[in-house]
Amino acid sequence: TIDWIGLIEYLVRAWLLLYFCKGSIVEKEKYRSTGKILFFLQSFLVNCYLSYSVWVNRVLYRTQTGEIVDSSYSILKLLIVVCCSFAAMNVLYQGRKLAKLYLLLVYYTVQEMCRFILHSVWSLVTIAWLDHLYEQVMEQKIEVEYFVSAAGSLQTYSMWVYTVGYLLFMYLVLRMYRRYLTEPVEEIDRQGLWFLMLTPVISMAFDVLWRISFYRQQGEEIEFFYEKHGSMYVVVPTIAVLCLMCTVFSRKIYAELMASEAQKNSLMFYKQQLADMTAHVRELEQLYDGIRGMRHDVNN
């Protein structure tokens, strides 16, 4: 069967990456007409191949079946996706590598943090509903067959809701971030780029930490971090929200600082012009005084 949820997710994510980079970097001259299409296809195809290739899953997850038994292995896929996007961006777009890396870090930070936030909410709602159905079965209010059917439907529809929800959340955050992209990234100096990359780097470090500890299979048992520490349903999305807020507001603060600096430079320019005009007027007054003195002497 075709995994429509996955295909639609990867299509939307590729479009969101293209949307986020729009106006911030410029295609190279020879890729002026095809650069955006190639970049979009690269993102979509790499994600699809990594998700549906049994050979890749066997190599990355170190299992014969290709099933992931340790969530830490998923870090490798994320690293491959980021590296492929960075390589494609360097081939297709002009500009400094540091500026392109900055855009990718912000994009994948927003992607991962939005997933963390929605995943916790989705998990809590799903578990609560399944527990409710289980209690109904135990009290013999519903049949076991109905419970199995409802659980299957819940899994399918909740995955659609989760996927659409976190993609919409991503779009809103990226749109908010783009409001403060007042100039192309090429115009940001190196010091400014390092300042803007600080929060995304910390957020991605949190992402790696979460992937390492999310779940691990030992024999027939699977240990979920959330089940051992129920407070993580609140802690993880809270940290993710803080990471998103810091990422967005650091860009806002930088934009306001640059606007203030530009206003300050403009004010200094006008002050210098005023000083030059004042000096010129004084020179004219001195010249006029000299001419008036000469006329007085001639008349005498």
Side-chain angles (χ1 to χ4, degrees):
T1 59
I2 300 176
D3 181 15
W4 290 108
I5 299 178
L7 290 176
I8 293 174
E9 177 185 355
Y10 299 142
L11 278 171
V12 175
R13 278 165 49 177
W15 175 81
L16 286 173
L17 178 57
L18 199 63
Y19 162 76
F20 180 65
C21 295
K22 181 181 178 181
S24 297
I25 50 177
V26 181
E27 301 89 351
K28 292 181 179 178
E29 191 62 36
K30 61 180 178 180
Y31 297 112
R32 188 72 67 182
S33 59
T34 60
K36 293 180 181 178
I37 298 175
L38 293 175
F39 191 54
F40 174 86
L41 290 176
Q42 171 275 142
S43 178
F44 173 69
L45 294 176
V46 168
N47 277 291
C48 287
Y49 183 71
L50 291 177
S51 295
Y52 303 126
S53 172
V54 178
W55 177 82
V56 170
N57 290 336
R58 287 176 180 174
V59 172
L60 295 181
Y61 300 153
R62 304 176 185 178
T63 58
Q64 292 297 322
T65 60
E67 295 180 355
I68 183 170
V69 296
D70 191 328
S71 59
S72 61
Y73 294 154
S74 63
I75 299 171
L76 298 174
K77 281 192 174 182
L78 180 63
L79 181 62
I80 293 172
V81 169
V82 175
C83 290
C84 288
S85 296
F86 183 64
M89 191 177 281
N90 280 322
V91 171
L92 300 172
Y93 290 90
Q94 303 175 12
R96 295 173 293 164
K97 292 181 174 60
L98 186 62
K100 299 170 186 175
L101 181 61
Y102 152 68
L103 288 174
L104 289 176
L105 282 176
V106 172
Y107 171 80
Y108 285 106
T109 292
V110 173
Q111 172 186 294
E112 295 300 297
M113 296 305 108
C114 288
R115 290 179 65 181
F116 289 170
I117 296 169
L118 267 296
H119 178 270
S120 297
V121 176
W122 170 76
S123 298
L124 284 174
V125 173
T126 303
I127 292 171
W129 181 246
L130 288 175
D131 288 343
H132 172 71
L133 291 178
Y134 181 75
E135 290 177 0
Q136 297 271 312
V137 172
M138 296 303 294
E139 295 174 1
Q140 297 183 350
K141 293 182 178 180
I142 60 174
E143 300 294 333
V144 176
E145 291 78 8
Y146 177 80
F147 171 78
V148 175
S149 175
S153 300
L154 176 64
Q155 182 178 6
T156 301
Y157 293 123
S158 65
M159 280 300 298
W160 275 103
V161 172
Y162 163 70
T163 303
V164 172
Y166 103 79
L167 290 174
L168 180 60
F169 192 19
M170 269 187 70
Y171 168 74
L172 294 175
V173 176
L174 291 174
R175 182 179 178 181
M176 184 184 301
Y177 196 92
R178 278 179 55 85
R179 290 173 54 190
Y180 306 113
L181 288 174
T182 53
E183 73 280 345
V185 292
E186 278 302 302
E187 297 180 8
I188 304 176
D189 58 16
R190 181 178 292 271
Q191 185 177 1
L193 287 174
W194 283 116
F195 168 75
L196 293 171
M197 288 171 60
L198 180 61
T199 303
V201 168
I202 295 174
S203 301
M204 294 305 291
F206 167 68
D207 175 51
V208 170
L209 179 63
W210 185 84
R211 286 174 179 268
I212 289 174
S213 56
F214 182 51
Y215 74 85
R216 183 177 293 105
Q217 181 174 348
Q218 294 182 347
E220 298 296 327
E221 296 184 358
I222 299 178
E223 295 183 355
F224 282 94
F225 188 65
Y226 279 16
E227 292 181 358
K228 294 178 64 176
H229 306 279
S231 60
M232 292 298 105
Y233 282 108
V234 177
V235 173
V236 171
T238 300
I239 296 176
V241 168
L242 292 175
C243 288
L244 282 180
M245 291 177 63
C246 291
T247 301
V248 173
F249 284 106
S250 64
R251 186 68 183 96
K252 179 182 178 182
I253 291 171
Y254 181 81
E256 291 176 350
L257 286 175
M258 292 298 100
S260 177
E261 186 69 21
Q263 187 177 9
K264 180 180 177 181
N265 292 336
S266 178
L267 183 61
M268 291 179 62
F269 173 74
Y270 288 128
K271 283 183 177 180
Q272 185 62 42
Q273 278 193 326
L274 181 60
D276 293 341
M277 290 177 63
T278 303
H280 182 63
V281 169
R282 288 176 180 174
E283 291 177 358
L284 290 176
E285 289 178 348
Q286 292 176 359
L287 180 61
Y288 177 73
D289 290 341
I291 294 174
R292 187 169 54 184
M294 291 176 61
R295 288 178 60 188
H296 181 268
D297 292 342
V298 170
N299 290 333
N300 289 338

